[in-house]
Amino acid sequence: MADGAGTEGAIWHGGDLATAKALFHDAPEPWIDLSTGINPFPYPLPALPLSLWQRLPGGREEAALLAAAGRAYRVRPESGVVAAPGTQILIELLPRLAPQARVAVLGPTYGEHELAWRKAGCEVREIADLAEAGAADVVVVVNPNNPDGHIVDLPALTAVADSLAARGGLLVIDEAFADFQPGASLVPTLPQATLVLRSFGKAYGLAGVRLGFAIGESRHVEALRGMLGPWAVAGPALEIGTQALGDAGWLAAQEKARAADARRLDALLAKSGRVVGGTILYRLLETSAAPALFERLGRAGIYVRRFRHDPSRLRFGLPGDEPGWVRLETVLGAEGDGRWS
């Protein structure tokens, strides 16, 4: 459900310009969509043979993708990896690994985690600190967190995993935004009773490819593989993912360039409020004038992410070209000295 659409209880997401256009009918084109945390500079697509579209995905191609993912994410030899058509489907399947579980979600965070467990009939609590997990059977942590970019250090996560393992529980770590912060990843030292989700589309700017991974103990990975069934990932996605994940040089160059963009965005946003967090791919602004700023940006054809749980915050993705930067700077500085709070 997109931002602002659906019922009052629906989760708001970014990325749906149809919603933006419905909210702001008279906004100028083209729209600048800053409502997602997706790299605006996508990995250059390789030439794809027609055969990839004509036949079912092959086991050899899937094995090549999993090998590339294993190297890129530094997966331990004893850990398993499964590929899926995006991490969202993995989030939906996780409750089948622990039916009727008591679940603690470290939040506020990406809302689909809590929703997936609730839909499965589980008891779910949002906690502000891992110490509040108590007797939970499953603990869910988005690391780096979306939207504030907060990172839970690896020793703390390992301690939670060890506690859960002792009582047959499960730690779920969503590392959707860890590609540009590899030191935050638990994958290279993966403890027992831990399942890590990795998203391909965000760092590589190819969300439409729909590709994601789960990394963990073989029993969890094989259970998810069985739930996904055969040919879960399309042939073109297998080929694109294999090439992109094997291109460490491209990713390193993107990390450096997008970090510079994030610093530039912080400097712009500081005129409008207080930057309270984020990752290289998005920044989180806090201001009492957030609703008015959201409206002003929308009327100017710039769509940012707002939050039902905290109306004082807006999340900004990175502009993808210089005209986009200029338009954003113009709107942010349109009121006097640019102060909104």
Side-chain angles (χ1 to χ4, degrees), residues 65-157:
L65 172 69
L66 295 179
R71 291 188 293 270
Y73 300 139
R74 298 175 296 159
V75 178
R76 299 169 67 181
E78 62 268 31
S79 299
V81 186
V82 62
T87 51
Q88 183 60 45
I89 187 62
L90 292 169
I91 291 171
E92 298 285 343
L93 293 175
L94 287 177
R96 299 190 193 179
L97 296 177
Q100 303 303 311
R102 294 165 296 177
V103 182
V105 179
L106 187 65
T109 191
Y110 181 59
E112 293 291 344
H113 283 287
E114 180 176 345
L115 179 61
W117 291 94
R118 286 195 185 281
K119 287 191 300 185
C122 296
E123 175 189 335
V124 185
R125 294 184 296 119
E126 182 180 292
I127 58 175
D129 189 280
L130 286 176
E132 301 172 12
D137 306 302
V138 176
V139 177
V140 180
V141 180
V142 179
N143 203 46
N145 190 41
N146 179 8
D148 62 14
H150 175 72
I151 294 176
V152 180
D153 63 52
L154 302 186
L157 292 175

Side-chain angles (χ1 to χ4, degrees), residues 47-72:
L48 299 176
L50 184 60
S51 61
L52 289 178
W53 305 95
Q54 292 177 307
R55 58 179 173 81
L56 289 170
R60 181 178 300 176
E61 290 83 359
E62 182 180 12
L65 172 69
L66 295 179
R71 291 188 293 270

